[in-house]
Amino acid sequence: MTKPPERAESASGYMLRLLSLNGVGVREALALCRATRRRVPQAADTDLLSGLAGISAEWFDHRTPRPYVRDQWNEVALFGFTWRDAWLLRGFRQQVCPLCIREQGIARLEWDLVAYPVCHIHGIVLQDACRICGKGLSPNRPALDVCGCGGYFAARDNETSAATPSVKAWTVWLSQQLLADAGIAQQSGLLPFAPQLHGASPDGAYRLICAYAGGAKAFRGELILAGRPWLSSHQVSRLIAQGLDALHAAAGGAQTSIGLGSGTPYALAEQAVAGITAWDRAVASREMLRLRLGRRWRNALPRCPSQQELFADVS
């Protein structure tokens, strides 16, 4: 049995829905296709998936990650944009909105991104673990709304807490970028929270938010507190809220908690549009920290002098 996909549906969610209609599990289907090492659709599976589902290969190609290397950096092409693969996909620990599954019966393509922790339609934090067994949501579960233990995701008692207005505005803006030709009339309202994000790409905007949320140090701290090697949707939502609050404070001329003044966010936003990598920003901040603490080695040359100029106003 074949069924046409929805426009806002993800590739992995569509295949999971299609396989459940035919009474075939994901592991069984992968074994039949001799692709046992793959758990989620990849760019190399585009022709195979399009042949199985009976739809165009362009639909899968737009929704499946295509990794490549540019200037010795790993990047991924997905949804028509370029992303850093370090924080791209939820991968084997997926997230869902119980209300969207109950109303639409599909997995939206925005749920594949770590940068999308809140449903922009219902304004609630996405669910990334089963309430019964406590395990993360696997892409190999029996059905779109059923966990491997038999737990039902779309139950009314699975609804999560409401998100902050700034994070919801961010996810509305992100959804509009991914579905730019959807004719969405509503405004995201993101610019009042963070005007520095104007003109930035989704990947560049997310990197800028992460930088002002505390950078890699804040994310590692959340991982330590969680006691697991991945961040939950609640933790990502909290970090994004912190980054947006810092950007909002910096736009008003206030000093942020990470020591960046009012002029720096705009320079960082310009670099985000150009595609500065997270590694460059981390190295620049570490070099500036060593300089302030007097820990620079004698005759040592800065590794990223152009990126350090962004932090020149740090005292």
Side-chain angles (χ1 to χ4, degrees):
M1 293 178 58
T2 60
K3 193 171 184 179
E6 300 292 337
R7 179 180 173 279
E9 192 170 11
S10 68
S12 59
Y14 171 69
M15 290 306 301
L16 185 59
R17 183 167 64 95
L18 186 64
L19 291 173
S20 62
L21 288 176
N22 289 270
V24 181
V26 176
R27 296 182 183 276
E28 182 182 0
L30 293 177
L32 292 174
C33 297
R34 297 180 181 180
T36 55
R37 294 184 179 182
R38 305 185 188 274
R39 299 184 182 180
V40 293
Q42 299 294 327
D45 305 326
T46 299
D47 295 335
L48 174 62
L49 296 176
S50 62
L52 291 174
I55 61 177
S56 64
E58 290 77 13
W59 188 90
F60 279 105
D61 188 67
H62 182 74
R63 290 164 172 79
T64 52
R66 185 177 297 277
Y68 62 94
V69 178
R70 181 173 66 92
D71 297 332
Q72 298 181 353
W73 298 107
N74 295 326
E75 296 182 349
V76 176
L78 182 66
F79 305 140
F81 295 97
T82 299
W83 308 79
R84 279 280 292 178
D85 59 350
W87 49 47
L88 174 62
L89 296 175
R90 293 286 299 187
F92 305 141
R93 302 175 179 89
Q94 298 183 340
Q95 54 186 0
V96 299
C97 174
L99 295 179
C100 286
I101 291 182
R102 191 188 312 163
E103 297 172 1
Q104 304 177 18
I106 64 171
R108 297 185 61 89
L109 57 86
E110 300 100 322
W111 300 351
D112 289 346
L113 298 177
V114 176
Y116 186 89
V118 170
C119 177
H120 75 282
I121 300 176
H122 301 98
I124 61 174
V125 179
L126 298 181
Q127 178 185 351
D128 59 351
C130 179
R131 298 295 180 86
I132 297 179
C133 64
K135 296 181 179 180
L137 305 187
S138 171
N140 299 333
R141 54 187 185 271
L144 184 64
D145 53 356
V146 179
C147 177
C149 68
Y152 184 54
F153 299 148
R156 294 188 179 274
D157 57 352
N158 281 352
E159 298 177 10
T160 58
S161 59
T164 59
S166 61
V167 180
K168 183 180 178 181
W170 157 253
T171 55
V172 169
W173 179 85
L174 184 58
S175 178
Q176 290 176 354
Q177 305 306 307
L178 301 183
L179 301 171
D181 57 342
I184 303 177
Q186 64 184 25
Q187 298 295 326
S188 65
L190 179 63
L191 293 183
F193 291 102
Q196 304 92 336
L197 302 182
H198 178 71
S201 64
D203 179 66
Y206 181 57
R207 284 190 267 114
L208 185 58
I209 292 175
C210 292
Y212 276 80
K217 181 178 179 180
F219 280 77
R220 286 196 299 266
E222 290 290 339
L223 289 175
I224 294 174
L225 292 176
R228 56 175 179 265
W230 56 280
L231 294 178
S232 65
S233 301
H234 280 278
Q235 291 176 299
V236 176
S237 175
R238 183 166 59 250
L239 289 171
I240 291 178
Q242 294 174 2
L244 292 174
D245 291 342
L247 284 169
H248 182 71
Q255 194 77 3
T256 63
S257 59
I258 58 175
L260 297 180
S262 60
T264 306
Y266 296 97
L268 282 173
E270 294 178 359
Q271 293 294 328
V273 176
I276 183 175
T277 65
W279 186 87
D280 292 331
R281 185 172 293 114
V283 170
S285 61
R286 186 175 70 248
E287 293 291 338
M288 293 306 300
L289 178 61
R290 290 177 179 177
L291 179 63
R292 292 198 307 269
L293 298 179
R295 295 180 179 176
R296 182 180 297 278
W297 292 97
R298 180 176 299 178
N299 299 328
L301 297 177
R303 299 177 63 181
C304 302
S306 60
Q307 282 76 16
Q308 288 187 23
E309 295 176 358
L310 303 177
F311 297 83
D313 59 343
V314 181
S315 58

